[in-house]
Every structure is written in C-alpha cells, then in structure tokens.
C-alpha cells in the first residue's frame, strides 16, 4: 500500500486538514500505473446569509442555541420556521449540512417552552438519525422538553414513561405503524396535545415504502382529528425535484416549499474514478476477457486504507451490507500490513447490528477514535458527522439525490472536502463516469410515490379500520381509490359495513410490512453459544443466509449451518474459508393484464400487470483470491410469488431475421438487451438496479413473440415500469448507445453482463443486442401515444401460464437495505 500525502498528525474531530482535496486526490491517483480518474468536478464554496431571530423565539432557546455555536439562523431556516409557527405545513428542501434541523427545532421547541402541555412527534427513516437528533435536542438542556426515543430498541420499562411524560418523542414510521397507532388509546394524552409532526429526510419515502408511509401519516392525522387536534407538518428533505408536490402527496396536505439554500458551503472536489483493467493472467479462469476490471469493492478498500494511513477522516459508502464488511476487512488488512495496529482505526457500519454496536461506532467516529468507516446507506441521512475530510462512494447509489447526500457527509464544518465516486463494472456506472454531464449541473430527481396503489391502500385501510371504524369522511382522507379498496375488503370478508361505517371483523390485527419485504427479519445466532450476532431482513435471507452461505460480521466470518424461515432464525458457526458464496435463482413470469400499449408494426410496447415467481435454487463457491468457481451446490428453498407492474417490448421473428439476427442468436441478443436496459433504467426513474428485475425469452407463451420484460420488484409496482414506458425512446436509446460504445469485444460487466443474472450471464450476444434495439428504435415512434386498453383488450389471466424463460434477472436479489 502506498499511502497518499499525509493530512495531519492529529486525529481530533476539529483538526484542520493540512492537504487540500486536490493534493489528496493527486496522492491517490499516483498509487496506480494509469490514471483512473475520468473527470474532476469542482463545486465552488458559497457564503452564507443570516436572518434575524424570529420575535417569537424565546430567549432561553436562543441562549441554548448560542452555546452550541448558532449565533443566528440562516435565511432559509428562518423562513421555514416562520411558516411553521404560523400554522403552515412546510417542507425545507436544501442541501446536505444546510441546517434543516434548526428549521423545525425553532418552532417546535419554542412551542414546547411556551405551552407546557404541547407535544411534538419526530419521524426519521433510520434509528441512527433519530438517536442523533435526540442527542442534539437533549444537549440544549431545555427544562421541560423531555425528549425521548421510542423505537424497537427502547427498553419496555421506559416505554410507559415515554407514553405518559414524553413531550418531544422521536421515532420512525415503522414504530408509528406497528406500535403507536394500534395503541392510540395509551397515547391519547400525547395525541390530543400534538402541535407538530416533523418528518425528517422525507425524500427517502419513495416507491412502495413511501406509499405506505403516506397512509401511516393519514392514519395519524385521523387519530389526532378524533381528539380535535390538527398538528402542523414540518418536513425536511434533501434537494429534490418538486418537493412541495412530493410532500403534499406524502401528507395529503397543501405544503409550502422552502428551497433556496442560504447556508455557507465549503468547496467540494468531486472525482469520478474508474478502476483499472486487470492484467491478463493465465491462471485466471476468465483470463480471455481482457476487459475485466478491478472490483469496485477492492478499489474502495484500498482508497480507504490510503486515506486513513494519511490521517484523513473518511467515510466509504457501500451499497450492500456484505460489501461494507468486505471493504472494512480489506482496508484493515492493508493498514495492519503497513503499520501494525492501524487497522483498528477502521470499522464497518450497517443495519442488522445490535443497538449497542451501532451507538459505539457512531460515538467512535464522532470522537475521532475511528478514522475510517465503511457504511451502507444507514449513515447517508442526517447524522451529524462533524470533521470528515473525504467520502468514497462505492458504486452509483441509485439517484443523484443520494449521490449528493453521501458526498455532503464530508466538509461539514465548512471546510474543503473530497468526494470520489468509484464505478462498479456495470453499464450504468461505466456510462456515468464517462458522461459527467449526466451527474453534474442537472436537477436531482423528484420523489416518486403512489398512495393510490391498491396493493398499499387496501392493507392500510384495513389497519385504519382495526384502529377505529372507517367512516365516509375517512375515505376522503385516504384519497383516490379508497372506496374501491374498502369494497374489496368487504367482499373479502375482513370488513363489515354498518350504518355507522366499516368495522374490522378479524380477531388479529392486519400484518402489513411498510418496507415491502413481505417477511420478518431473520436472527443470526451463533450455534455453539446462542449469541445473537445480528439480523437480516426477510427479503434478503434466501440470498444471504441459505445453508452454506458465508456471513460477515465486523470482520469475523461465519458459515450458515441452517436456515429456519418459519422461526426466523439462522444458525452459524465461526469459520474463515478461502471462498465466498453467491446465490443463484430462477424466475418465471406470466402476463395478467395490459394497461396500455403501442402498436408499432413489427414492434410492440406494453405496460401491465404480471405475476413473477422466483426461487433460489443453488449457490456457487468462488475462490476469494482469483474468483475461480469451485463448485455449484443445490438448495431447497421455497418459491416466492410477486404480482407487480412491468414494461415489455416484443418483436416479430421476421423483423429480426430481416435485420440479420440469426435464430440461434436471438436468445443471447434479447438477454443482453435486457441486462443493459435494466442497468440504464435508473437514468430515467428514481430507482437502482436492485429495485427492478427482468426476463427475456425467444418465444413467450403469453405474447407469442420474442419478448423482453422489465418489472418493478415491489408488490403492486412502484412506478418504475410506468416511467420506463413513458420514456421508452430515451431509455432504449441510452441502452443501445451504452452497449455500442463499450470497448469490449463480446460483452462485459460494463455493458451487458449482470451481477445478479440467474443464468450466469449465458447466453449473451452483444452485437445482436445492438441490432435488436435498432429494430425497436427504428419502429417505435419518438413520442409514442399510449393506447389505453379496455376490457376487450385485456389478456385473460386464467389463460396465462408461466414462461419457459431463457433468462431472468430478479429484483431484490442481493439488495441489502438498511433501516
């Protein structure tokens, strides 16, 4: 390891770095033979603009904030606080580290100090953020505020005290849904005095999760109204497209947006980094692929080790839990080889850790005991990490909003910062590092959610009915589709209609998962000792905890002995094998109905409902050092069913033959086009590759034609397929160009190979995929007028049968979310 130029000898959180970001970047670039940096963007520093304290802000609060270094609010903070104090629902959507917390703390705390009976509810998407906000409010030392966290980590002995005495309660949507609203009778005193509801980092509530949270907030409004209370909603968001509309859709209320950021910002040097090609190695099984690149995980681990060796406080964002563990372990190993003991200054951070582990890691990073941390997106949001100098982003995080959120973790004290996006060997990442105009100087995405999604609305109405009978007025509160959803629940026999409303008939409450994972978390237990190591969300358990899987936890390696899905428990034993495990699955898909379509002669473009059946059937063991496949072992795990929304296109066999695509090349051509289309869809929709799946086949039984499907990986859909349908021309053009412009000969991870292919990336035909997409783009209108289907157009779902697919890329496989 060749460390970059030293930054300083000290490690305290407030130490000034000696090296500038440009000097640090030069040191990192010098560690390899070639130059891996494809672009450097300089984001200039910006001065701040103060505003006077609002006249209603009590002196006690001003003094407490002054002790914390806040001499006066920034203009956007004061503007949002004034709106909220005046009773207006408001969203403040400004950049990372712009002080959004003061915008809601000012009116909320001023009200608590002025009215000893008032209460405030704060919602955060992650426990880490809620804990950070609790520290911030508690440190103000204001008499009578009584802040407290109420979440799954709260000891039961404290919960009753919080219900009776807490005035500033910090929680998350999951606890509001599972604990507070079902027990609203115990919370009646708190809810009847509720003055403000703070929804922090509201841009994270998108897709199916966001649609569920939208109805949880409506259920909260409904319970408050029963007590004669109408709280003011104050929302905080990263910079996003049309935040007022998104916040209004989330809350069901008219919301005013404050978007002009008046806070000062240090300059950011932002580098796009493409790992180098691996040299040909006769011992490597893939040595014939000259375009194989160095793993983004290994590259990020080496960069993290280099920055830590130079004394630079660094946070590395990694997309998956397993990836975060791998990056931290490799960085520790490299540091210990260079300076024995230095590896202890690096750790991993992710969801699934026990509460005590998470809090200790947060403390160690804040106090400078740790110099480097490899984290999932669990630390993307809001946690005040003062003093960081650099951020490494291992792979495109899915949206420009997340990219800037993660980059903004560095330079929080107003100093200069370095951010590096390390590209994975993936079509989208490769495209972005060579097309910086797609990242810089463009607005961030709008938050996409659909509260009218019937797969979300009906279960949420069932939850509301279990809390209190539904009335016609409630149906207006829950919006479009509510009456139809209630009718379906009555028909299913779970609601009973009476003159006074609709009543819940079941003995048990409805079991509804806000995050769309459909399964409870699985506990990971060391078999010999019974020690709980952590948890894995149910949606990922088939991939990460199957028998024989290698499970990593804070640098320690375990192998799974058994997985009991019924009891939600995986038993493991310590072991450090020289191989890693990679689950493989198979998928089939049947068309249920068509919502809309475009008839373009030999090409058809469709949007509709599909049923997807997937099953993890085996796993590969691969040598860690070389990537060599040791063997493939079968698995016996249950299949999973998903009804969702898909976009698909068909081509006539004659059009393919006329374009020169031989029948033997059709499966590989469609397969390659499918992979690339999935990889490029995040350019058009607010999603990432793991939110969507796909399937291609040379003859699908429902379409009776060569077909490529791309579907949402969430029950009922999440809006991604609809976005793909509306932007099909742009989406497929970008897909075609990404394949054609790639310098490889036969296809590689940068264009048509997929990291989650169920068929092991076989067959693939790069050149024929370009031809297929040329046929589609030639025939598809530039701005296709969608044709809505009527009853006569809809496919008969009873006649649909599973496809004998030649390839399937599942959604969610290997995605490791943190909440």
């Amino acid at each position: 390891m060749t460390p970059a130029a030293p930054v300083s000898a000290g490690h305290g959180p407030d130490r000034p770095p000696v090296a500038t970001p440009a000097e640090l970047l030069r040191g990192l670039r010098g560690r390899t033979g070639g130059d891996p940096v494809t672009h450097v963007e300089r984001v200039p520093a910006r001065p701040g603009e103060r505003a006077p304290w609002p006249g209603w802000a009590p002196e006690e609060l001003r003094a407490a904030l002054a002790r914390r270094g806040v001499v006066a609010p920034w203009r956007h903070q004061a503007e949002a606080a004034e709106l909220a104090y005046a009773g207006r629902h408001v969203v403040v959507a400004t950049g990372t580290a712009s002080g959004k917390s003061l915008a809601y703390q000012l009116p909320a705390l001023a009200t608590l100090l002025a009215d000893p009976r008032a209460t405030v509810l704060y919602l955060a998407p992650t426990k880490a953020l809620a804990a950070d906000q609790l520290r911030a409010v508690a440190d103000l030392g204001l008499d009578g505020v009584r802040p407290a966290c109420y979440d799954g980590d709260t000891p039961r002995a404290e919960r009753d005290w919080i219900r009776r005495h807490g005035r500033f309660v910090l929680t998350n949507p999951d606890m509001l849904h599972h604990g507070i609203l079902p027990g609203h009778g115990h919370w009646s005193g708190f809810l009847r005095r509720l003055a403000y509801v703070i929804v922090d980092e509201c841009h994270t509530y998108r897709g199916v999760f966001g649609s569920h949270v939208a109805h949880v907030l409506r259920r909260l409004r409904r319970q408050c109204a029963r007590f004669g209370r109408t709280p003011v909603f104050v929302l905080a968001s990263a910079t996003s497209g049309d935040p007022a509309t998104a916040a209004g859709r989330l809350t069901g209320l008219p919301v005013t947006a404050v978007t002009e950021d008046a806070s000062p910002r240090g300059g950011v040097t932002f580098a796009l980094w493409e790992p180098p090609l691996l040299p040909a190695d006769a011992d490597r099984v893939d040595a014939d692929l000259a375009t194989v690149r160095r793993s983004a995980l290994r590259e990020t681990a080496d960069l993290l080790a280099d920055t830590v060796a130079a004394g630079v406080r660094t946070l590395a964002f990694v997309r998956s839990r397993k990836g975060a563990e791998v990056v931290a372990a490799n960085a520790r190993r490299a540091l210990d080889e260079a300076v024995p003991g230095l590896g202890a200054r690096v750790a991993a951070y992710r969801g699934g850790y026990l509460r005590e582990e998470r809090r200790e890691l947060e403390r160690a990073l804040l106090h400078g005991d740790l110099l480097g941390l490899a984290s999932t997106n669990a630390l993307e949001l809001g946690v005040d990490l003062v003093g960081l100098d650099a951020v490494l982003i291992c792979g495109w995080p899915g949206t420009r909003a997340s990219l800037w959120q993660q980059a903004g973790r560095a330079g929080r004290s107003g100093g200069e910062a370095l951010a590096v996006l390390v590209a994975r060997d993936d079509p989208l990442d490769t495209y972005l590092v060579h097309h910086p105009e797609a990242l810089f100087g463009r607005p961030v995405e709008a938050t996409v959610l659909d509260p009218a999604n019937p797969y979300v609305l009906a279960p949420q109405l069932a939850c509301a009915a279990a809390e209190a009978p539904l009335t016609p007025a409630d149906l207006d509160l829950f919006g479009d589709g509510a009456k139809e959803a209630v009718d379906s629940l009555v028909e299913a026999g779970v609601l009973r209609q009476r003159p006074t409303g609709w009543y819940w008939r079941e003995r048990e409450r409805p079991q509804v998962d806000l995050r769309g994972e459909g399964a409870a978390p699985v506990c990971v237990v060391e078999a010999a000792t019974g020690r709980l190591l952590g948890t894995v969300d149910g949606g990922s358990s088939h991939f990460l905890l199957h028998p024989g899987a290698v499970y990593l936890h804070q640098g320690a390696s375990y192998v799974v002995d058994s997985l009991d899905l019924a009891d939600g428990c995986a038993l493991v034993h310590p072991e450090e094998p020289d191989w890693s495990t990679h689950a493989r699955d198979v998928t089939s898909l049947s068309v249920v109905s068509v919502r809309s379509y475009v008839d373009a002669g030999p090409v058809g473009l469709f949007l509709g409902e599909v049923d997807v059946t997937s099953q993890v059937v085996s796993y590969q063991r691969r040598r860690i050092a070389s990537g060599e496949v040791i063997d493939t072992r079968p698995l016996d795990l249950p299949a999973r069913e998903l009804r969702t929304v898909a976009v698909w296109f068909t081509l006539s066999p004659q059009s393919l033959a006329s374009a020169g695509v031989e029948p033997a090349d059709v499966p590989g051509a469609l397969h390659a086009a499918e992979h690339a289309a999935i990889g490029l869809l995040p350019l058009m929709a607010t999603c990432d590759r793991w939110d969507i799946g796909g399937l291609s086949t040379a003859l699908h039984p429902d379409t009776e034609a060569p077909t490529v499907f791309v579907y949402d990986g969430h029950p009922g859909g999440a809006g991604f397929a609809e976005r793909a349908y509306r932007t099909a021309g742009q989406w497929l053009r970008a897909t075609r160009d990404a394949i054609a412009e790639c310098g490889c000969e036969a296809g590689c991870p940068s264009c048509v190979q997929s990291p989650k292919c169920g068929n092991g990336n076989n067959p693939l035909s790069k050149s024929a995929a370009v031809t297929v997409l040329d046929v589609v783009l030639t025939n598809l209108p530039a701005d296709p007028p969608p044709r809505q289907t009527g009853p006569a157009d809809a496919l008969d779902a009873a006649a649909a049968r599973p496809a004998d697919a030649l390839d399937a890329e599942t959604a969610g496989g290997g995605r490791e979310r943190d909440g």
Side-chain angles (χ1 to χ4, degrees), residues 656-657 659-673 696-698 706 708 762-772 806:
L656 293 176
V661 181
E662 297 293 332
D665 291 332
V666 171
L670 298 175
H671 188 178
S696 59
T697 175
V708 171
N762 183 51
L764 291 174
S765 177
K766 175 185 175 180
S767 59
V770 174
T771 304
V772 163
L806 294 172

Side-chain angles (χ1 to χ4, degrees), residues 278-288 625-626:
L278 290 173
D281 182 349
D283 296 328
R284 215 176 64 230
V285 295
D286 55 1
D288 58 318
S626 65

Side-chain angles (χ1 to χ4, degrees), residues 594-620:
V594 175
R595 290 184 184 176
S596 182
Y597 70 93
V598 176
D599 184 350
V603 171
L605 178 70
F606 300 83
L607 177 73
E609 285 79 28
V610 297
D611 280 334
V612 181
T613 303
S614 62
Q615 183 176 20
V616 174
V617 295
S618 63
Y619 70 97
Q620 287 183 340

